Amino acid sequence: MKHLLSMADLGVDGIEEILRVTESFVEVTARDIPRVPALRGKTIVSLFYEESTRTRLSFESAAKRLSADVMTFSVATSSVQKGESLKDTVETIQAMGMDAVVVRHASAGVPWQVSQWVDASVVNAGDGWHEHPTQALLDAYTIRERLGSLEGRRIAIVGDVKHSRVARSNVLGFHALGAEVTLVAPPTLLPPSLEGWPCEVTTDLDALLPKLDVIYVLRMQRERMTEAVLPSMREYTSRYGLTARRAANLPDGALVMHPGPMNRGVEIAAEVADAPGTVITRQVANGVAVRMAVLFLLLGSGASIA
Ligand code: ASP
């Protein structure tokens, strides 16, 4: 594997390999000193053109736990503010020497474009509405950890599918691992075409709830909504929000997931987010191990996990 740009490129074997290596790194992250020398001497750059809390910190701590050197690029304090182009920025960083670059950008396809310009490995950390593969991998890992397998599991992905790179990557990943995925959203929050999305679609969340193994709640991506797609957020919450009343209709043991950041009180009620059945903080914790696995598989040829 040279780059990680999309779940679509990985295939079942690629996903399985990353999840297998993740297991070793979950063990490493539980140690008193959660650090291994596997990527000593490698330099990893995080190039984030869009805001992020979890993903950037997660990649950076993954790189540090592998003993790599980390360079952080922040748009707000860089020469991007002086008008420097993406290509010039990438070439400048490459000239300083880097082995991998982790890219987030508001436009779909930017990580792929960067991969055409540099020799380093490129990891997509979220490109516009397109994909967010490491999110899907950490979500699949978390489901496996809790439920044993995704095979035959019924998973609903609820909410703002249209603007969600997480939805696309997760549909591809969950389906590849054998789950039955249903998207639940008002028609205005679905993409114009669902061609190539291996899943069912419904608007009836209440009918689905008692049959689910996993409910995956998406954030309402208000920053990407350029037109009115809903009568009001209150209306949305009343039909699609995971309220305490709805959560009570889930089977015992069903998992509640959310990629973060949450809009408490909009797509998920605060008491549901904090209830014992949710695995939202476990998703974050597993995110570090998944990203260690990805960086290790990209750069660690010959190294042992140790
Ligand atoms: N943090 C995820 C992403 O960057 C989900 C979200 O922002 O809604 O795509």
Side-chain angles (χ1 to χ4, degrees), residues 50-51 54-55 104 125 132 135 165-166 219 221 223-224 258-261:
E50 228 191 23
E51 26 328 288
R54 272 153 291 272
T55 307
R104 168 168 290 191
H132 192 355
Q135 177 75 49
R165 51 194 172 214
V166 173
R219 179 174 68 89
Q221 310 219 353
E223 79 280 16
R224 299 191 205 276
H258 191 298

Side-chain angles (χ1 to χ4, degrees), residues 142-143 146-147 213-216 250 253-257 277-279:
T142 304
I143 297 172
R146 291 297 158 113
L147 302 181
D213 296 295
V214 177
I215 179 162
Y216 195 102
L250 288 165
L255 305 182
V256 174
M257 304 180 77
T278 66
V279 290

Side-chain angles (χ1 to χ4, degrees), residues 258-282:
H258 191 298
M262 289 185 270
N263 295 303
R264 287 169 180 258
V266 178
E267 69 265 1
I268 187 165
E271 63 263 51
V272 178
D274 298 330
T278 66
V279 290
I280 297 169
T281 48
R282 192 64 203 155

Side-chain angles (χ1 to χ4, degrees), residues 12-242:
V12 188
D13 292 347
I15 298 172
E16 291 285 358
E17 184 180 21
I18 294 171
L19 299 185
R20 208 169 39 244
V21 175
T22 297
E23 212 169 323
S24 315
F25 286 122
V26 167
E27 186 269 307
V28 169
T29 56
R31 292 182 191 167
D32 285 347
I33 301 172
R35 188 182 280 259
V36 290
L39 296 189
R40 190 178 287 155
K42 303 281 185 192
T43 299
I44 296 169
V45 176
S46 72
L47 184 67
F48 277 59
Y49 276 81
E50 228 191 23
E51 26 328 288
S52 166
T53 302
R54 272 153 291 272
T55 307
R56 191 170 60 74
L57 292 176
S58 183
F59 268 110
E60 292 177 5
S61 82
K64 287 178 185 160
R65 287 174 184 201
L66 292 164
S67 305
D69 295 320
V70 180
M71 288 201 283
T72 302
F73 168 92
S74 149
V75 171
T77 54
S78 73
S79 287
V80 172
Q81 300 306 328
K82 300 180 187 165
E84 190 166 42
S85 72
L86 175 66
K87 187 161 195 257
D88 287 342
T89 301
V90 167
E91 281 173 355
T92 301
I93 300 171
Q94 159 132 299
M96 295 178 200
M98 64 176 175
D99 299 289
V101 54
V102 178
V103 183
R104 168 168 290 191
H105 201 283
S107 300
V110 165
W112 173 84
Q113 179 63 74
V114 171
S115 76
Q116 305 294 301
W117 292 331
V118 298
D119 300 327
S121 288
V122 179
V123 183
N124 180 1
D127 61 332
W129 307 359
H130 177 229
E131 278 228 38
H132 192 355
T134 55
Q135 177 75 49
L137 291 162
L138 73 91
D139 290 331
Y141 187 85
T142 304
I143 297 172
R144 261 202 189 169
E145 183 180 61
R146 291 297 158 113
L147 302 181
S149 153
L150 276 80
E151 190 67 49
R153 296 294 185 180
R154 278 185 286 216
I155 304 178
I157 298 180
V158 184
D160 184 3
V161 177
K162 180 175 181 177
H163 303 104
S164 177
R165 51 194 172 214
V166 173
R168 183 194 302 266
S169 290
N170 274 353
V171 166
L172 295 172
F174 295 165
H175 171 78
L177 296 172
E180 291 170 27
V181 186
T182 306
L183 299 175
V184 189
T188 50
L189 287 181
L190 287 171
S193 160
L194 284 169
E195 213 185 303
W197 292 62
C199 59
E200 306 283 314
V201 184
T202 179
T203 53
D204 193 349
L205 177 59
D206 288 310
L208 204 59
L209 286 172
K211 303 179 199 148
L212 293 175
D213 296 295
V214 177
I215 179 162
Y216 195 102
V217 182
L218 296 171
R219 179 174 68 89
M220 290 298 278
Q221 310 219 353
R222 285 181 270 200
E223 79 280 16
R224 299 191 205 276
M225 293 179 190
T226 49
E227 70 222 37
V229 286
L230 292 168
S232 71
M233 285 298 158
R234 184 182 296 222
E235 169 108 0
Y236 175 82
T237 306
S238 79
R239 293 220 30 208
Y240 297 95
L242 188 56

